Amino acid sequence: FIVTEFMNKGSLLNLLQENIGNKNTFPSSQLLDFCQQACNGMIYLASENIIHRDLACRNLLVSGNNNT
């Protein structure tokens, strides 16, 4: 089992799929921020000598203020 805090927007994959075609799509600066947050998470895991092996949008959770 994995215990995580509740992330009310679910996975990044679902969030991106729900916003395809909407006028309120994410600006490129927000998409870049998602990428940077994912990279920072992977850097942290590497510093702890942990190998993730399955980095994907479906495995990134998003909070209410669009933080992954």
Side-chain angles (χ1 to χ4, degrees), residues 2-14:
I2 297 174
V3 178
T4 64
E5 68 180 280
F6 178 70
M7 304 294 258
N8 61 348
K9 291 196 176 180
S11 74
L12 180 58
L13 178 65
N14 289 341

Side-chain angles (χ1 to χ4, degrees), residues 12 16 26-43 55 57 60 62 66-68:
L12 180 58
L16 294 173
F26 297 106
S28 57
S29 60
Q30 180 67 55
L31 295 174
L32 181 60
D33 187 49
F34 288 146
C35 294
Q36 289 174 329
Q37 291 180 56
C39 289
N40 289 338
M42 296 305 285
I43 289 169
L55 177 63
C57 287
L60 297 172
V62 182
N66 288 338
N67 286 329
T68 57

Side-chain angles (χ1 to χ4, degrees), residues 15-16 18-28 30-31 34:
L15 185 65
L16 294 173
E18 289 171 0
N19 286 292
I20 291 175
N22 290 346
K23 290 182 179 179
N24 299 326
T25 57
F26 297 106
S28 57
Q30 180 67 55
L31 295 174
F34 288 146

Side-chain angles (χ1 to χ4, degrees), residues 39-52:
C39 289
N40 289 338
M42 296 305 285
I43 289 169
Y44 171 75
L45 291 177
S47 74
E48 297 292 318
N49 295 319
I50 298 171
I51 299 172
H52 189 279

